[in-house]
Amino acid sequence: MRRHLHRGHFGFLRAIIQGLHARPMWERYLMEEGEIETEAELASRPLDAVPGGEREVDGTALAADDLTARAFAGHPKVRRVTAWLRSELAAAAGRAERYGMARLVRVDFRRIGRVGEALQSLEDFAAAEGLEGFSQAEQLDAYRARFGRAVEREAKRAALMRRQLEAVDWLEGKYAQPVLAQDACRAWLADTLATRLEAAGVATLSDLFDRINSLGTGWAKSLPAIGVAKARAIETFLATHAETLGKTIGGHVAVPRRQRYAHELAAVVPRGGSREGTLVPLDKLIMPAELDGRAGAYRLPQARCLISAHNDYEAVLSWLRSKAGLPPEQVARLHERRRDLASVPGPLDWLHYLSNTQRAYRKEAERFLLWALLARRKPLSSMDTDDCLAYRDFLAAPPADWCAPRSRERWSPVWRPFEGPLNPRAQAYAIGVLANLYKYLNDKNYLAGNPWQGIHVPRGAQPALDVGRSLSEDLWAFVCARLAQLPSTSANQRLKVALPLLYATGLRLSEVVSVTTDDLEWVSLRQPGTKAREEGWWLTVLGKGNKLRRVPVPDATITALGSYLVARGFPEDPAANRIAGGVALLGHATDQAERAPWAKADRAGAEAGVAATTLYRQIKCFFQVCAGELDLVDARGAERLRAASTHWMRHTHISHALAAGAPLEAVQQNAGHASLDTTTRYVTTEDARRLAAMKRFWAN
């Protein structure tokens, strides 16, 4: 692709022709071409090695400013760009059959006459020679007699400069192009920069804006050979042409992520959607009237509808809101953490404070809604079974432009609804959620039927529950031994409580980070038919589907928890912590200031719970370290530890409890399984006995 010429190119060439200092002109017009050395660095360069870099002209020493200006103009990068501009303009003039102009713009007339040579002004000359009382004609005659050849060269240079500037003006009017957002990066940026950007999936200037607005000041960190200086030069280029680009770099880009306000992020991507063919989240989506479902093929009369929704978008929100949400106090905490300055919550404000279930359901409905609008050009209320089958196939192989890493947040312009192809289990989950959506709309008399009824993932691809994602007893013993050897830091103390707690109770990650001391209770129970009593600690958990359950906790885990509470500045007895709302069982590291003074100070109190992502990463990292130590003696065990995560601890609890003879119903209640069928899939003891018997048979 041939690089285009923008008005900055013509402005820079005019400055070169007129002999202006090239550095400010470069910084004004061509920073995308890269930075040049500082004035001090240029002044220290050996000018004799630079074309046009003489220290004297006609025996007259040049001033320091002239030396630096000549050094800058003679810089290889400046010479290369100037030569390219002259060549491009000559070619453009040739295409217009202006061959004289083509030759003219190639001429570097600085050799004909030089700005700054020893030519005095006429007034200074007359004063120096005592000619103030003579006529101007006589002064001119004397001036020509003294500087004859130099005057001729300067006159020739001035005439040539005028003609070149006229040529540049004519060519600019004919060939200068506006810089547009849809243009390829290669059309405006140097080939080396464009190649590196294209390798990262940044093909157009619009993509470049999106990347910068999404990732902030460090947007170029993952791009090879594009450092801070080149990144700033690109940003300067985009800012210079903001008027024709129609896009700007947001003010949030220069602000650290933790300090950004919600209203700033909300403004990064305007509301839009299917009409423009863009992929935006549900809360940004605007549906065109012809696709909003008011006249959907399977809509029932509004008078019969049991919800107030008048279109498909409102119907999806009604369904989403019907799912169990977060308690008001948790919504209040999230609102404060969001740094939202909006004084009056908007009608869609609740979409920022969803429960885990609501977020999971929103994701599937959002994907299907976008696909219906952009791929099928149909409203949800007109989708039939053939459309649903087509979407099932789409889930297995969504196009690349529908996918982005999970780290691209919902406010970001590079957010996409998918991370990549869905495996069979995820496909089955998506179909189940969408069937639930249409059943809701059918039950509420919004739609006449459910097109997802009877649609399943192909049987051959449908996996069983992977109960193998658990640690063997030997692996768990190795993990416990390694856990006991960890240094006594605050984060390690938390890990020494978290892992045994997960193993002993089978809690989910979202559950274990949300429980507090208020959820622990010491209970004394009489065994039926006897006087004996069973005493111990029980933990009340708000689990999946907003269901409460009680789980017994071992005394050893409570003892470790007591030591951990003391280290955080709270009473050892969980029941003695009287803070409103209780103290989180797993909290933030209290020694951050000593161990990581460079890190941002944590504003949460000592009683606040650790983030789920933080605990997940800590456990994953610990398992990786364990795997590295196990590699030499048990390669397969090390491989399993590398794959292990927090959810493996839940599977390990269930498998080990059943293998130890715990009643199936007790394990089901601990795990919070809705059906015994789910729990029985973990029963492997009979299979182990059968395999051992067959091995004895095979050995005979």
Side-chain angles (χ1 to χ4, degrees):
M1 173 184 288
R2 195 184 194 96
R3 285 188 67 189
H4 297 167
L5 297 171
H6 57 69
R7 295 192 179 278
H9 290 127
F10 292 91
F12 178 75
L13 190 56
R14 283 194 194 90
I16 293 293
I17 292 172
Q18 295 175 81
L20 301 179
H21 197 308
R23 172 176 284 281
M25 298 300 104
W26 182 275
E27 293 176 348
R28 179 177 179 181
Y29 294 119
L30 296 181
M31 276 299 290
E32 72 272 13
E33 300 290 343
E35 287 193 329
I36 307 296
E37 290 94 326
T38 64
E39 303 286 357
E41 291 168 334
L42 282 170
S44 66
R45 292 181 61 201
L47 299 186
D48 296 339
V50 178
E54 299 93 339
R55 297 185 183 276
E56 293 184 358
V57 175
D58 290 346
T60 302
L62 295 177
D65 288 346
D66 284 331
L67 284 173
T68 306
R70 288 176 179 275
F72 191 91
H75 191 284
K77 188 177 292 185
V78 177
R79 294 203 319 274
R80 174 180 56 79
V81 172
T82 305
W84 169 71
L85 284 172
R86 291 185 183 278
S87 176
E88 286 292 305
L89 294 183
R95 290 193 296 273
E97 299 183 356
R98 304 289 290 266
Y99 302 111
M101 182 181 290
R103 290 191 297 272
L104 177 64
V105 295
R106 285 185 180 276
V107 176
D108 184 355
F109 62 84
R110 289 176 295 177
R111 291 293 182 181
I112 299 172
R114 295 178 180 276
V115 176
E117 290 188 22
L119 284 178
Q120 293 175 294
S121 68
L122 183 60
E123 290 180 359
D124 291 343
F125 174 76
E129 298 296 326
L131 301 175
E132 291 97 332
F134 290 77
S135 67
Q136 190 176 38
E138 289 171 326
Q139 290 176 350
L140 284 172
D141 288 340
Y143 189 83
R144 291 192 186 98
R146 172 70 65 84
F147 304 110
R149 290 185 59 194
V151 171
E152 290 175 7
R153 286 200 308 268
E154 182 63 23
K156 187 176 181 180
R157 190 191 70 82
L160 186 56
M161 180 179 73
R162 264 193 322 272
R163 291 175 57 199
Q164 280 193 326
L165 290 174
E166 290 170 358
V168 170
D169 289 344
W170 185 86
L171 289 166
E172 180 179 12
K174 191 170 181 64
Y175 292 105
Q177 298 185 34
V179 184
L180 303 177
Q182 62 267 27
D183 290 343
C185 292
R186 193 171 293 277
W188 299 109
L189 303 179
D191 284 344
T192 51
L193 282 178
T195 299
R196 291 161 189 160
L197 290 171
E198 288 171 357
V202 181
T204 68
L205 296 180
S206 180
D207 296 338
L208 186 54
F209 269 111
D210 288 348
R211 183 180 182 91
I212 295 172
N213 281 329
S214 298
L215 303 183
T217 50
W219 65 269
K221 286 182 179 178
S222 61
L223 301 177
I226 296 185
V228 174
K230 288 187 177 68
R232 296 294 86 78
I234 291 173
E235 292 173 18
T236 301
F237 168 75
L238 296 177
T240 301
H241 299 280
E243 184 177 347
T244 57
L245 283 165
K247 302 184 79 169
T248 58
I249 296 173
H252 70 285
V253 167
V255 180
R257 181 175 174 179
R258 287 180 178 270
Q259 297 177 16
R260 296 172 185 168
Y261 287 94
H263 70 279
E264 294 174 331
L265 299 181
V268 174
V269 177
R271 294 195 68 194
S274 60
R275 187 178 297 281
E276 297 82 11
T278 54
L279 292 164
V280 294
L282 188 65
D283 50 303
K284 295 277 188 180
L285 185 61
I286 296 178
M287 300 173 66
E290 66 273 16
L291 296 176
D292 71 358
R294 292 174 188 270
Y298 305 110
R299 278 293 306 273
L300 291 174
Q302 186 67 36
R304 294 178 53 191
C305 188
L306 299 177
I307 54 178
S308 61
H310 293 84
N311 57 50
D312 294 345
Y313 186 83
E314 294 175 359
V316 169
L317 294 184
S318 172
W319 164 76
L320 195 59
R321 204 155 195 171
S322 71
K323 307 304 174 184
L326 296 176
E329 58 273 13
Q330 190 171 350
V331 171
R333 288 197 300 270
L334 290 174
H335 180 79
E336 181 180 357
R337 195 180 304 167
R338 248 187 114 229
R339 295 168 60 85
D340 194 346
L341 296 184
S343 56
V344 180
L348 300 180
D349 193 61
W350 63 275
L351 286 172
H352 299 296
Y353 311 108
L354 302 180
S355 65
N356 292 336
T357 299
Q358 286 176 314
R359 285 200 302 271
Y361 279 33
R362 176 188 62 186
K363 177 173 66 176
E364 302 304 338
E366 185 173 63
R367 288 170 169 176
F368 187 55
L369 180 57
L370 289 170
W371 180 83
L373 297 175
L374 299 178
R376 301 299 265 197
R377 303 301 299 172
K378 295 173 68 173
L380 283 189
S381 51
S382 294
M383 303 300 280
D384 55 29
T385 299
D386 290 337
D387 295 316
C388 296
L389 291 172
Y391 182 69
R392 183 185 65 181
D393 297 337
F394 177 84
L395 293 175
D401 58 349
W402 282 65
C403 303
R406 181 180 296 186
S407 59
R408 304 304 187 246
E409 298 181 71
R410 295 178 63 82
W411 59 264
S412 163
V414 294
W415 171 88
R416 296 294 180 266
F418 292 89
E419 295 170 46
L422 270 60
N423 61 38
R425 178 182 297 169
Q427 294 174 38
Y429 178 80
I431 290 172
V433 171
L434 294 173
N436 181 278
L437 165 63
Y438 274 83
K439 182 180 185 301
Y440 174 87
L441 299 180
N442 193 204
D443 291 345
K444 299 300 181 182
N445 287 338
Y446 182 83
L447 291 179
N450 185 351
W452 284 101
Q453 189 172 1
I455 294 180
H456 304 284
V457 174
R459 185 176 297 276
Q462 197 165 15
L465 181 63
D466 183 8
V467 298
R469 293 189 301 164
S470 61
L471 304 180
S472 66
E473 293 183 3
D474 289 342
L475 275 181
W476 174 241
F478 174 79
V479 166
C480 289
R482 183 65 185 83
L483 189 65
Q485 298 170 9
L486 290 177
S488 187
T489 66
S490 180
N492 287 342
Q493 286 178 312
R494 178 178 65 211
L495 190 63
K496 290 178 180 180
V497 173
L499 275 177
L501 182 62
L502 288 169
Y503 175 79
T505 60
L507 296 182
R508 300 178 178 91
L509 175 62
S510 59
E511 296 168 346
V512 78
V513 297
S514 63
V515 288
T516 71
T517 51
D518 282 1
D519 300 317
L520 280 169
E521 181 185 8
W522 174 264
V523 177
S524 179
L525 303 170
R526 176 180 293 177
Q527 291 187 359
T530 70
K531 292 185 178 180
R533 304 188 73 83
E534 289 289 345
E535 298 182 332
W537 288 92
W538 288 74
L539 182 64
T540 302
V541 180
L542 182 64
K544 192 175 180 180
N546 220 28
K547 296 177 181 177
L548 280 174
R549 70 180 190 278
R550 298 173 74 226
V551 181
V553 183
D555 291 344
T557 302
I558 296 296
T559 301
L561 173 64
S563 300
Y564 177 51
L565 288 171
V566 169
R568 291 162 60 195
F570 298 104
E572 181 179 11
D573 184 358
N577 289 278
R578 301 301 181 189
I579 296 176
V583 176
L585 300 193
L586 304 176
H588 298 260
T590 58
D591 56 1
Q592 176 181 309
E594 297 80 27
R595 303 190 63 82
W598 61 87
K600 180 178 173 61
D602 199 337
R603 295 182 301 172
E607 72 281 359
V610 66
T613 51
T614 301
L615 182 62
Y616 178 87
R617 286 194 298 265
Q618 184 183 13
I619 291 177
K620 282 290 290 186
C621 182
F622 175 67
F623 283 154
Q624 300 294 317
V625 172
C626 291
E629 295 184 3
L630 196 61
D631 254 328
L632 294 178
V633 294
D634 184 2
R636 289 189 177 181
E639 185 178 352
R640 290 189 66 77
L641 277 176
R642 285 193 181 90
S645 66
T646 51
H647 203 68
W648 280 49
M649 297 306 302
R650 178 171 168 82
H651 288 225
T652 302
H653 163 81
I654 298 171
S655 298
H656 288 196
L658 291 172
L664 190 61
E665 294 83 357
V667 177
Q668 177 206 3
Q669 291 168 1
N670 280 357
H673 287 155
S675 169
L676 274 176
D677 291 341
T678 304
T679 313
T680 54
R681 296 183 188 181
Y682 291 87
V683 179
T684 57
T685 50
E686 291 302 320
D687 288 342
R689 293 194 187 99
R690 183 153 58 101
L691 181 59
M694 292 306 297
K695 283 184 176 180
R696 289 193 295 271
F697 167 71
W698 295 331
N700 293 334

